C-alpha cells in the first residue's frame, strides 16, 4: 500500500482505497488511499510550520535544494520515463521528453527568478526605497494526468524558489508518478514540511481548497478552473494560477 508524504515522512493513509491502472493492459500500477481531512490538515500544518525556516534559506539556499532534486531525477530518468509511459499511457519517447522537461525546469526557473525578482533599490531624493519580494505562504498544487511529472513540477519549482511551501495533490489517474516525484524531493534532503504530497480524487481536492491557503496552482479542465475561481471569489489575498483547457473540453 502506497502512502502520503507529510512533514518529511511517509504516512499510511486511513481513507478509502483507490488504484491506478495501466491503460494499455489493465494491470494495477499503484494502490493507495484518498487522503482524509485529518491528513490534509496535517499536510497544510506542516507546510505552514516550515514557512519561516524555508524563507530564511534565501533564494541561493533554496536553489541549491532544487538543483539537488534535479540531479536526483536525472539519476533515475529511465525509471521515471518508463513509469510515466505505463501510467499515463504514453509512448516511451514522449515520456522521455517529459523527464527532460522536469530536469530543465530548475535552471530556467532560477534564471527567471533572478531576472524578475531580485531586490531593487529605487532612487529617491529624501531616502532610498527598496523593493523586496516575499513568499505568499502555503500553496496548493493540483496536477493533471497528461503530463503528470512536468506540469506538477512546473508549479512546484517556482513556488519553492520564491519561498513558498507546498501541498501537492497529483491527479488520481497518475498517483504513482506523483509519489515518485515526492520521493525524489525526499531524497534531495529537502527540509521536512516544505513539500507535502497527498493522494486522492475530487473530494480530496475540495477538502484541500477549504484549508487556509495563500495560493492555488491548477492545471486541468476549464470547468474545474472556473469552479476554483468562484470558490476564491471573496479571497483576493489568494493567488490563483489556473492553466485550463478549451471551453467544453476536459
Amino acid at each position: 500500500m502506497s502512502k502520503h508524504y507529510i512533514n518529511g515522512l511517509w504516512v499510511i493513509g486511513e481513507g478509502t482505497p483507490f488504484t491506478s491502472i495501466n491503460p494499455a493492459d489493465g494491470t494495477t500500477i499503484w494502490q493507495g488511499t484518498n487522503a482524509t481531512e485529518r491528513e490534509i490538515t496535517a499536510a497544510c500544518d506542516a507546510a505552514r510550520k516550515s514557512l519561516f525556516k524555508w524563507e530564511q534559506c534565501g533564494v541561493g539556499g533554496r536553489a541549491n535544494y532544487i538543483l539537488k532534486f534535479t540531479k536526483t531525477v536525472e539519476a533515475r530518468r529511465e525509471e521515471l520515463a518508463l513509469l510515466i509511459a505505463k501510467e499515463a499511457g504514453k509512448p516511451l519517447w514522449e515520456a522521455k521528453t517529459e523527464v527532460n522537461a522536469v530536469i530543465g525546469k530548475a535552471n530556467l526557473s532560477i534564471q527567471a527568478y533572478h531576472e524578475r525578482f531580485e531586490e531593487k533599490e529605487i532612487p529617491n531624493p529624501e531616502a532610498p526605497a527598496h523593493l523586496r519580494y516575499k513568499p505568499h505562504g502555503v500553496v496548493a498544487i493540483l496536477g493533471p494526468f497528461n503530463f503528470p511529472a512536468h506540469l506538477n513540477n512546473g508549479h512546484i519549482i517556482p513556488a519553492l524558489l520564491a519561498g513558498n511551501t507546498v501541498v501537492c495533490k497529483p491527479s488520481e489517474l497518475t498517483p504513482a508518478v506523483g509519489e515518485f516525484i515526492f520521493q525524489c524531493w525526499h531524497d534531495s534532503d529537502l527540509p521536512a514540511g516544505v513539500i507535502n504530497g497527498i493522494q486522492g480524487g475530487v473530494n480530496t481536492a475540495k477538502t484541500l481548497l477549504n484549508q487556509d491557503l495563500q495560493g492555488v496552482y491548477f492545471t486541468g479542465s476549464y470547468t474545474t478552473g472556473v469552479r476554483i475561481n468562484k470558490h476564491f471569489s471573496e479571497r483576493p489575498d489568494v493567488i490563483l494560477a489556473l492553466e485550463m483547457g478549451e471551453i467544453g473540453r476536459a
Side-chain angles (χ1 to χ4, degrees), residues 43-247:
C44 292
D45 287 347
R48 188 161 307 285
K49 289 176 182 177
S50 67
L51 259 172
F52 179 75
K53 287 186 177 180
W54 183 239
E55 181 181 2
Q56 293 303 301
C57 284
V59 65
R62 297 192 294 267
N64 286 337
Y65 281 110
I66 290 167
L67 291 171
K68 190 172 182 181
F69 162 78
T70 297
K71 291 180 181 177
T72 303
V73 173
E74 192 165 11
R76 302 180 65 185
R77 64 162 63 235
E78 295 298 327
E79 184 182 355
L80 176 56
L82 185 59
L83 181 60
I84 292 170
K86 287 182 176 180
E87 191 170 46
K90 290 188 175 187
L92 185 57
W93 68 264
E94 185 177 346
K96 289 181 177 180
T97 64
E98 182 173 350
V99 176
N100 289 339
V102 172
I103 294 168
K105 184 64 179 180
N107 284 323
L108 289 173
S109 298
I110 293 168
Q111 180 182 346
Y113 185 94
H114 287 303
E115 289 175 353
R116 301 173 189 174
F117 303 115
E118 289 285 8
E119 179 180 341
K120 296 179 177 67
E121 182 174 339
I122 303 171
N124 190 301
E126 298 179 0
H130 292 266
L131 177 63
R132 300 183 180 94
Y133 294 87
K134 293 184 177 181
H136 289 283
V138 177
V139 172
I141 295 174
L142 305 176
F145 73 92
N146 55 338
F147 290 92
H150 170 49
L151 291 181
N152 271 343
N153 190 61
H155 288 313
I156 291 172
I157 285 183
L160 294 182
L161 190 60
N164 303 294
T165 53
V166 167
V167 179
C168 179
K169 188 201 82 67
S171 168
E172 63 273 25
L173 298 178
T174 51
V177 174
E179 185 174 295
F180 189 103
I181 295 296
F182 300 145
Q183 183 66 56
C184 288
W185 282 111
H186 180 80
D187 293 344
S188 304
D189 299 321
L190 194 71
V194 170
I195 186 169
N196 303 271
I198 56 172
Q199 303 281 7
V202 173
N203 289 335
T204 300
K206 288 179 178 178
T207 303
L208 175 57
L209 294 180
N210 284 322
Q211 300 293 311
D212 181 17
L213 304 170
Q214 284 68 57
V216 176
Y217 303 163
F218 164 78
T219 303
S221 72
Y222 176 85
T223 302
T224 302
V226 168
R227 289 188 186 130
I228 293 171
N229 190 50
K230 289 181 178 178
H231 181 80
F232 290 98
S233 61
E234 296 183 5
R235 288 285 311 276
D237 55 305
V238 177
I239 183 171
L240 300 180
L242 307 176
E243 182 180 353
M244 301 178 286
E246 296 180 29
I247 297 175

Side-chain angles (χ1 to χ4, degrees), residues 1-3 18-20 28-33 179:
M1 181 71 72
S2 294
K3 306 172 184 177
F18 74 103
T19 59
S20 174
T28 298
I29 293 177
W30 181 96
Q31 291 179 301
T33 61
E179 185 174 295

